[in-house]
Coordinates of all heavy atoms in Angstrom, one line a residue:
S2 N 0.9 -1.2 0.0 CA 0.0 0.0 0.0 C 0.9 1.2 0.0 O 2.1 1.1 0.3 CB -0.9 0.0 1.2 OG -0.1 0.1 2.4
G3 N 0.3 2.4 -0.4 CA 1.1 3.6 -0.4 C 0.4 4.7 -0.9 O -0.8 4.6 -1.4
T4 N 1.0 5.9 -0.8 CA 0.4 7.1 -1.4 C 0.9 7.3 -2.8 O 2.1 7.4 -3.1 CB 0.7 8.4 -0.6 OG1 0.2 8.2 0.8 CG2 0.1 9.6 -1.1
I5 N 0.0 7.3 -3.8 CA 0.3 7.5 -5.2 C 0.6 9.0 -5.5 O 1.6 9.3 -6.1 CB -0.8 7.0 -6.1 CG1 -1.1 5.6 -5.8 CG2 -0.5 7.2 -7.6 CD1 -2.4 5.1 -6.5
F6 N -0.4 9.8 -5.1 CA -0.4 11.2 -5.6 C -0.8 12.1 -4.4 O -1.6 11.8 -3.6 CB -1.5 11.3 -6.7 CG -1.7 12.7 -7.2 CD1 -1.0 13.1 -8.4 CD2 -2.6 13.6 -6.7 CE1 -1.1 14.3 -8.9 CE2 -2.7 14.9 -7.2 CZ -2.0 15.2 -8.3
R7 N -0.1 13.3 -4.4 CA -0.4 14.3 -3.4 C -0.4 15.7 -4.0 O 0.6 16.0 -4.7 CB 0.6 14.2 -2.2 CG 0.3 15.3 -1.1 CD 1.3 15.1 0.0 NE 1.2 16.3 0.9 CZ 0.3 16.3 2.0 NH1 -0.5 15.3 2.2 NH2 0.3 17.4 2.7
R8 N -1.4 16.4 -3.8 CA -1.5 17.8 -4.3 C -1.6 18.7 -3.0 O -2.5 18.5 -2.2 CB -2.7 18.0 -5.2 CG -2.9 19.5 -5.6 CD -4.0 19.6 -6.6 NE -3.6 19.1 -7.9 CZ -4.4 18.8 -8.9 NH1 -5.7 19.0 -8.8 NH2 -4.0 18.4 -10.1
D9 N -0.7 19.6 -2.9 CA -0.7 20.6 -1.8 C -0.2 21.9 -2.3 O -0.1 22.2 -3.5 CB 0.1 20.1 -0.6 CG 1.5 19.8 -0.9 OD1 2.1 20.4 -1.9 OD2 2.1 18.9 -0.3
G10 N 0.1 22.8 -1.4 CA 0.5 24.2 -1.7 C 1.8 24.2 -2.5 O 2.0 25.2 -3.3
S11 N 2.6 23.2 -2.5 CA 3.8 23.1 -3.3 C 3.7 22.5 -4.6 O 4.6 22.3 -5.3 CB 4.9 22.5 -2.5 OG 4.6 21.1 -2.3
G12 N 2.4 22.0 -5.0 CA 2.2 21.4 -6.3 C 1.8 20.0 -6.2 O 1.3 19.5 -5.2
D13 N 2.0 19.3 -7.4 CA 1.5 17.9 -7.5 C 2.8 17.0 -7.4 O 3.8 17.3 -7.9 CB 0.9 17.6 -8.9 CG -0.4 18.3 -9.1 OD1 -0.9 18.9 -8.1 OD2 -1.0 18.2 -10.2
H14 N 2.6 15.9 -6.6 CA 3.7 15.0 -6.4 C 3.2 13.6 -6.6 O 2.2 13.2 -6.0 CB 4.2 15.1 -4.9 CG 4.5 16.6 -4.5 ND1 5.6 17.2 -4.9 CD2 3.7 17.4 -3.9 CE1 5.5 18.5 -4.4 NE2 4.4 18.6 -3.8
I15 N 4.0 12.8 -7.4 CA 3.7 11.4 -7.6 C 4.7 10.6 -6.8 O 5.9 10.7 -7.0 CB 3.8 11.0 -9.1 CG1 2.6 11.8 -9.8 CG2 3.6 9.5 -9.3 CD1 2.7 11.7 -11.3
L16 N 4.3 9.9 -5.8 CA 5.2 9.3 -4.8 C 5.5 7.9 -5.0 O 6.5 7.4 -4.5 CB 4.5 9.5 -3.4 CG 4.2 11.0 -3.1 CD1 3.3 11.1 -1.8 CD2 5.4 11.8 -2.9
L17 N 4.7 7.1 -5.7 CA 5.1 5.7 -6.0 C 5.6 5.6 -7.4 O 5.0 6.0 -8.4 CB 3.8 4.8 -5.9 CG 3.3 4.5 -4.4 CD1 2.1 3.6 -4.5 CD2 4.4 3.9 -3.6
S18 N 6.8 5.1 -7.5 CA 7.6 5.1 -8.8 C 6.8 4.3 -9.9 O 6.9 4.7 -11.0 CB 9.0 4.5 -8.6 OG 8.9 3.2 -8.1
E19 N 6.1 3.3 -9.5 CA 5.4 2.5 -10.6 C 4.3 3.3 -11.2 O 3.7 2.9 -12.3 CB 4.9 1.1 -10.1 CG 3.8 1.2 -9.0 CD 4.3 1.0 -7.6 OE1 5.5 1.5 -7.3 OE2 3.6 0.4 -6.8
Y20 N 3.9 4.4 -10.7 CA 2.9 5.3 -11.2 C 3.4 6.5 -11.9 O 2.7 7.3 -12.5 CB 1.9 5.7 -10.2 CG 1.0 4.6 -9.7 CD1 1.3 3.9 -8.6 CD2 -0.2 4.2 -10.4 CE1 0.5 2.8 -8.1 CE2 -1.0 3.2 -9.9 CZ -0.6 2.5 -8.8 OH -1.4 1.5 -8.4
R21 N 4.8 6.7 -11.9 CA 5.4 7.9 -12.5 C 5.1 7.9 -14.0 O 5.1 6.9 -14.6 CB 6.9 7.9 -12.3 CG 7.3 8.1 -10.9 CD 8.1 9.4 -10.6 NE 8.0 9.7 -9.2 CZ 8.8 9.2 -8.3 NH1 9.8 8.4 -8.6 NH2 8.7 9.5 -7.0
N22 N 4.7 9.1 -14.5 CA 4.4 9.3 -15.9 C 3.1 8.5 -16.3 O 2.8 8.4 -17.5 CB 5.5 8.9 -16.9 CG 6.8 9.7 -16.6 OD1 6.7 10.8 -16.3 ND2 7.9 9.0 -16.6
R23 N 2.4 8.0 -15.3 CA 1.2 7.2 -15.7 C -0.1 7.8 -15.0 O -1.2 7.3 -15.2 CB 1.3 5.7 -15.3 CG 2.2 5.0 -16.2 CD 2.0 3.5 -16.2 NE 1.9 2.9 -14.8 CZ 0.9 2.2 -14.3 NH1 -0.2 2.0 -15.0 NH2 1.0 1.7 -13.1
V24 N 0.1 8.7 -14.0 CA -1.1 9.2 -13.4 C -1.2 10.8 -13.5 O -0.2 11.4 -13.5 CB -1.2 8.8 -11.9 CG1 -1.4 7.3 -11.7 CG2 -0.1 9.3 -11.1
E25 N -2.4 11.3 -13.5 CA -2.6 12.7 -13.4 C -4.0 13.0 -12.9 O -4.9 12.1 -12.9 CB -2.5 13.3 -14.8 CG -3.4 12.7 -15.9 CD -3.0 13.1 -17.3 OE1 -1.8 13.2 -17.6 OE2 -3.9 13.2 -18.1
V26 N -4.2 14.2 -12.3 CA -5.4 14.7 -11.7 C -5.7 16.0 -12.4 O -4.8 16.8 -12.6 CB -5.3 14.8 -10.2 CG1 -6.6 15.5 -9.7 CG2 -5.1 13.5 -9.5
P27 N -7.0 16.2 -12.9 CA -7.3 17.5 -13.6 C -6.8 18.7 -12.7 O -7.0 18.6 -11.5 CB -8.8 17.5 -13.7 CG -9.2 16.0 -13.6 CD -8.2 15.4 -12.8
K28 N -6.3 19.7 -13.4 CA -5.8 20.8 -12.6 C -6.8 21.9 -12.4 O -6.9 22.5 -11.3 CB -4.5 21.4 -13.4 CG -3.2 20.7 -13.0 CD -2.1 21.7 -13.0 CE -0.9 21.3 -12.3 NZ -0.4 20.0 -12.6
N29 N -7.5 22.3 -13.5 CA -8.3 23.5 -13.4 C -9.8 23.3 -13.3 O -10.6 24.1 -13.8 CB -8.0 24.5 -14.5 CG -6.5 24.8 -14.5 OD1 -5.9 25.1 -13.5 ND2 -5.9 24.8 -15.7
S30 N -10.2 22.1 -12.9 CA -11.6 21.7 -12.9 C -12.0 21.7 -11.4 O -11.9 20.7 -10.7 CB -11.7 20.3 -13.5 OG -13.0 19.9 -13.7
M31 N -12.6 22.8 -10.9 CA -13.0 22.9 -9.5 C -13.9 21.8 -9.1 O -14.9 21.5 -9.7 CB -13.7 24.2 -9.3 CG -12.8 25.5 -9.2 SD -11.6 25.3 -7.9 CE -12.6 25.6 -6.5
G32 N -13.5 21.1 -8.0 CA -14.3 20.0 -7.5 C -14.1 18.6 -8.1 O -14.5 17.6 -7.6
N33 N -13.3 18.6 -9.2 CA -13.0 17.3 -9.9 C -11.6 16.9 -9.5 O -10.7 17.5 -10.0 CB -13.2 17.4 -11.4 CG -12.9 16.1 -12.1 OD1 -12.6 15.1 -11.5 ND2 -13.0 16.1 -13.4
V34 N -11.5 15.9 -8.7 CA -10.1 15.5 -8.3 C -9.9 14.0 -8.7 O -9.2 13.2 -8.0 CB -9.9 15.7 -6.7 CG1 -9.7 17.2 -6.5 CG2 -11.1 15.1 -5.9
S35 N -10.6 13.6 -9.8 CA -10.5 12.2 -10.3 C -9.0 11.9 -10.6 O -8.3 12.7 -11.1 CB -11.4 12.0 -11.5 OG -12.7 12.4 -11.1
L36 N -8.7 10.6 -10.4 CA -7.4 10.1 -10.8 C -7.4 9.4 -12.1 O -8.2 8.5 -12.3 CB -6.9 9.1 -9.7 CG -5.5 8.5 -9.9 CD1 -4.4 9.6 -9.6 CD2 -5.2 7.4 -9.0
H37 N -6.6 9.9 -13.1 CA -6.5 9.3 -14.4 C -5.3 8.4 -14.4 O -4.2 8.9 -14.1 CB -6.3 10.3 -15.5 CG -7.5 11.3 -15.6 ND1 -8.1 11.5 -16.8 CD2 -8.2 12.0 -14.7 CE1 -9.1 12.4 -16.6 NE2 -9.2 12.7 -15.3
I38 N -5.4 7.1 -14.7 CA -4.3 6.2 -14.8 C -4.2 5.8 -16.3 O -5.1 5.2 -16.9 CB -4.5 4.9 -13.9 CG1 -4.8 5.3 -12.5 CG2 -3.3 4.0 -14.0 CD1 -5.1 4.1 -11.6
L39 N -3.0 6.0 -16.8 CA -2.7 5.7 -18.2 C -2.0 4.3 -18.3 O -1.4 3.9 -17.3 CB -1.7 6.7 -18.8 CG -2.0 8.2 -18.4 CD1 -0.9 9.1 -19.0 CD2 -3.3 8.7 -19.0
K40 N -2.2 3.6 -19.4 CA -1.6 2.3 -19.6 C -1.8 1.4 -18.4 O -0.8 1.0 -17.8 CB -0.1 2.5 -20.0 CG 0.1 3.3 -21.2 CD 1.6 3.2 -21.6 CE 1.9 4.0 -22.9 NZ 2.3 5.4 -22.6
L41 N -3.0 1.1 -18.1 CA -3.4 0.3 -16.9 C -2.7 -1.0 -17.0 O -2.6 -1.7 -18.0 CB -4.9 0.1 -16.9 CG -5.6 -0.2 -15.6 CD1 -5.3 1.0 -14.6 CD2 -7.1 -0.3 -15.8
E42 N -2.1 -1.4 -15.8 CA -1.4 -2.7 -15.7 C -2.3 -3.6 -14.8 O -3.1 -3.2 -14.0 CB 0.0 -2.5 -15.0 CG 1.0 -1.7 -15.8 CD 1.4 -2.4 -17.1 OE1 1.2 -3.6 -17.2 OE2 2.0 -1.7 -18.0
I43 N -2.1 -5.0 -15.0 CA -2.9 -5.9 -14.2 C -2.6 -5.7 -12.7 O -3.5 -5.7 -11.9 CB -2.5 -7.4 -14.6 CG1 -2.9 -7.6 -16.1 CG2 -3.2 -8.4 -13.7 CD1 -4.4 -7.6 -16.4
S44 N -1.3 -5.3 -12.4 CA -0.9 -5.1 -11.0 C -1.6 -3.8 -10.4 O -1.4 -3.6 -9.2 CB 0.6 -5.0 -10.9 OG 1.1 -4.0 -11.8
D45 N -2.2 -3.0 -11.2 CA -2.9 -1.8 -10.7 C -4.2 -2.1 -9.9 O -4.7 -1.2 -9.3 CB -3.2 -0.8 -11.8 CG -1.9 -0.2 -12.4 OD1 -0.9 -0.2 -11.7 OD2 -2.0 0.3 -13.5

């Protein structure tokens, strides 16, 4: 288990290496904090 993504006053941070370059959260969509995972793996 672990923290994949954190957004705070210092910006967006992807903390688990297996998700680097594969996850994003919309930036300018107020109230929408959905997680987009690209190239889904079975292990996800």
Side-chain angles (χ1 to χ4, degrees):
S2 63
T4 300
I5 301 170
F6 180 91
R7 179 177 169 88
R8 174 176 288 166
D9 56 28
S11 67
D13 290 358
H14 311 280
I15 296 167
L16 304 170
L17 287 179
S18 60
E19 65 262 33
Y20 290 95
R21 292 243 161 85
N22 303 320
R23 286 203 308 125
V24 296
E25 52 193 39
V26 174
K28 273 215 163 47
N29 303 318
S30 184
M31 283 301 286
N33 179 3
V34 288
S35 303
L36 184 70
H37 297 232
I38 306 176
L39 319 173
K40 297 189 183 92
L41 206 58
E42 296 293 343
I43 298 293
S44 59
D45 290 339

